[in-house]
Amino acid sequence: MNILIIDGQSGRMGAQLIEGLRKAGLGPEHGITAIGTNALATGAMLKAGADQAATGENPVLVQCRKADIIAGPIGIVLADALLGEITPKMAAAVGQSDARRILLPVNQCRTSIPGTANKTRAQLTEEAVQMILQLCKPQG
């Protein structure tokens, strides 16, 4: 499985996802690629244990075509989200990818998601980690 984590701003959410996957023992057969919308986000995710990382729009466009799973804040499918760091092309690439998307429902970017108000970021991240681990299990 090729897992793509996309994040912006500080990259903390993406880093938490990667840390959770590594702590859960996700093996080397499941590569984790981190794409940050800025250098700070990319650095945080690389430090958290991503196998490889890049920054910017074009890496998002390319890696969305290669990913089996894409994870990150819900803003990665909303043009101009994350304080404008998500370009329309990036949002379209994530939305049009054949990958399975695991989007953390953060009630920001002028978008509210009912039913998420009672969960902390840590709880949402742990739930996303568990979903990704389920998808990575061999089908038998």
Side-chain angles (χ1 to χ4, degrees):
M1 286 274 174
N2 183 13
I3 301 165
L4 174 60
I5 310 291
I6 302 171
D7 200 4
Q9 298 180 311
S10 71
R12 187 66 195 133
M13 183 176 288
Q16 287 175 329
L17 280 170
I18 294 166
E19 288 167 356
L21 291 168
R22 292 299 184 210
K23 284 181 185 174
L26 193 69
E29 69 276 13
H30 304 290
I32 298 177
T33 299
I35 306 294
T37 59
N38 62 64
L40 180 64
T42 303
M45 292 187 287
L46 197 54
K47 184 176 179 182
D51 294 310
Q52 56 187 356
T55 303
E57 180 182 77
N58 200 59
V60 170
L61 305 182
V62 172
Q63 294 304 314
C64 281
R65 294 191 304 258
K66 298 178 179 182
D68 297 305
I69 299 169
I70 299 172
I74 195 162
I76 65 175
V77 296
L78 301 171
D80 300 330
L82 305 181
L83 298 176
E85 293 182 7
I86 301 296
T87 68
K89 286 182 181 181
M90 293 163 93
V94 174
Q96 293 173 344
S97 174
D98 287 336
R100 179 69 184 255
R101 287 171 291 280
I102 307 294
L103 303 174
L104 282 86
V106 180
N107 290 325
Q108 294 176 355
C109 305
R110 298 182 55 86
T111 303
S112 298
I113 303 154
T116 61
N118 295 327
K119 292 190 178 182
T120 65
R121 179 181 291 186
Q123 290 170 321
L124 291 169
T125 302
E126 179 56 31
E127 194 172 323
V129 165
Q130 292 306 315
M131 291 172 121
I132 293 168
L133 292 172
Q134 275 299 118
L135 291 170
C136 289
K137 284 186 179 179
Q139 303 300 316

